[in-house]
Each structure stands twice: as structure tokens, then as C-alpha cells.
Amino acid sequence: MFINRGILQIENQLVKVTQFNYNTIFDTVEAYPSVGAADTLMLTIFNNTSTNQSIFFEHTNSAKEVNPKSFAKVAVWKMPGKRTVPFYSANKTQKYLGLSSAIIFNNSNEKAFFWNLREYDESINQQYFEGANLNFSNYIPDVFTINSKVHTIYKANQMAMVLGNVGDSIYIDILNSGLMFHSVHFHGYHVKIIESNKSNEMIGWDKDSFPIDPGELISVLLVPHQPGLYPVHDHNLKAVTIGGNYPGGMIAMLKIEP
Ligand SMILES: [Cu+2]
């Protein structure tokens, strides 16, 4: 896995970010390794930035330091009763810029999808890359992404598309990597909240909407009872716009065949 700097082109907005990628050259496909439930992952992280990076892993509650143009190795194993190991920069600014993801443990026969939610105030990203010390007191996010892509009026977010059939067991792991709450609303179905990396009183509940705290990863189980094409969206209506236009931004799709 590589820590890369690059630019997300979101409609006509350019958002400078730092991300975990599978390739040594920046691309918009973020790394969220999927590992067999019985396996241990030996993860090598190479830092392509000129900044020291400190990456925190929740299975050990500790951070790995990765110097510029250097690498670190981390062993990651499944925590009992947990599907996921979130990992992110220990530095708030670097985490905000995009260094936040998760390792997903699942059986190979399971259908599993990952949604990484973020919001950006791209003027803050610009200031960072111009060398300013960031101040989030004037934070006004206007770009809302899932897996570094947005829904637009012309095209659904292909990186946030859940494909399945009626009766499937579909796991969706939803990480809020942003600084604000995101409340998601499922159309067409209820999902069962099966776990969270934070204390969450809704475990075991069947719901169609729920908030996700900043830094929280909520895993849900969807067993579709009907076919259809349904959206899942942030209930903050500003988050379902892009460039001031609705619909856009933080919208995923469930495409369920009979
Ligand atoms: Cu809705």
C-alpha cells in the first residue's frame, strides 16, 4: 500500500488530497484491503509524501511511523467479533486530507462492500498544500464523497454501487472519515446494524436511517426482500449536492436483482 498525494477532480472542483492507494502513482481508487477471516495480513506501507506519517491501527491501538520515501510493515489480524480494522493518520489534518481507511475481514463467499464517507472544504485542502497551518474553525464543507467519488445527475457513483440478489446476505462497512456527522438513509430496505468500532447503542437494531460519528465504522447486514434500484444517501441535504446542484455528492446505490 502506498501513501500518495494527488488531486480529486470533482466536477469542476479540484480537491488536493493524500490517500492510501494500491499503486505507487496516485489514483482515485483508495486501498481498503480485504482479507480472509482466518488470515493475518502482512501490510507494507510505503510513504510517497515528503511528510512523516504516523498511521494508527485499531487492532493494536498503536501507531506505525513511516518516514518520507520509506516503508513500514504491519501485521494485521482479525479482532474477535469484529469484521474490520480501521486505520488512519494519528494527525487530524492528514486524516482529514484522506488518510483513513479499513481492512475488511470476510469469508470469500460473502458479498461485502465498503463505503468511505468524506466531506471536504477544498479551500482548506488548498491552504494545506500551500504550506499554511490549518485552522478548522471556519470549516465549510462543500464536497461530499463516497470512496473518493460523487454521484452526479448524469452518472451514479460506480464506486458506491452495491450489487446483489433478493435473499443475499450483503455486508456493507461504512466508515465516516470526515469531521462531521453523516446520517445515512436507506431506501427500499432496512438493514441490521451488526457492529461498530465505537460504543453504539443501536447494535442489533433493524433500521433504515442512523447517524455515523466522525471516525466511526458501522457494519450493516442487508438481506434484500425485493428487487429494485434504490438510493442510500446522507440525510443532510447539503451533502447530496455537488456544485450547488441536486442530486449529487453523498449518494450510493443498491442494485438488487430478483
Ligand atoms: Cu432518504
Side-chain angles (χ1 to χ4, degrees), residues 185 187 233 235:
H185 180 212
H187 285 230
H233 66 103
H235 242 259

Side-chain angles (χ1 to χ4, degrees), residues 115 117 146 172 174-176 181-187 189 191 193 202 207-213 218 220 231-236 239-240 250-252:
W115 293 340
L117 313 184
I146 303 176
I172 310 173
I174 314 168
L175 174 63
N176 180 357
F181 283 79
H182 292 291
S183 284
V184 293
H185 180 212
F186 281 73
H187 285 230
Y189 311 95
V191 294
I193 298 176
M202 298 181 294
K207 293 179 63 58
D208 68 349
S209 67
F210 47 88
I212 309 175
D213 289 17
I218 287 183
V220 301
V232 180
H233 66 103
D234 190 332
H235 242 259
N236 297 312
V240 291
M250 203 174 271
I251 302 177

Side-chain angles (χ1 to χ4, degrees), residues 118-119 141-146 150 180 182 238-239 241 249-250:
R118 288 202 188 82
E119 79 288 337
D142 56 0
V143 175
F144 300 86
T145 61
I146 303 176
V150 294
M180 62 176 281
H182 292 291
K238 183 167 181 188
T241 61
M250 203 174 271

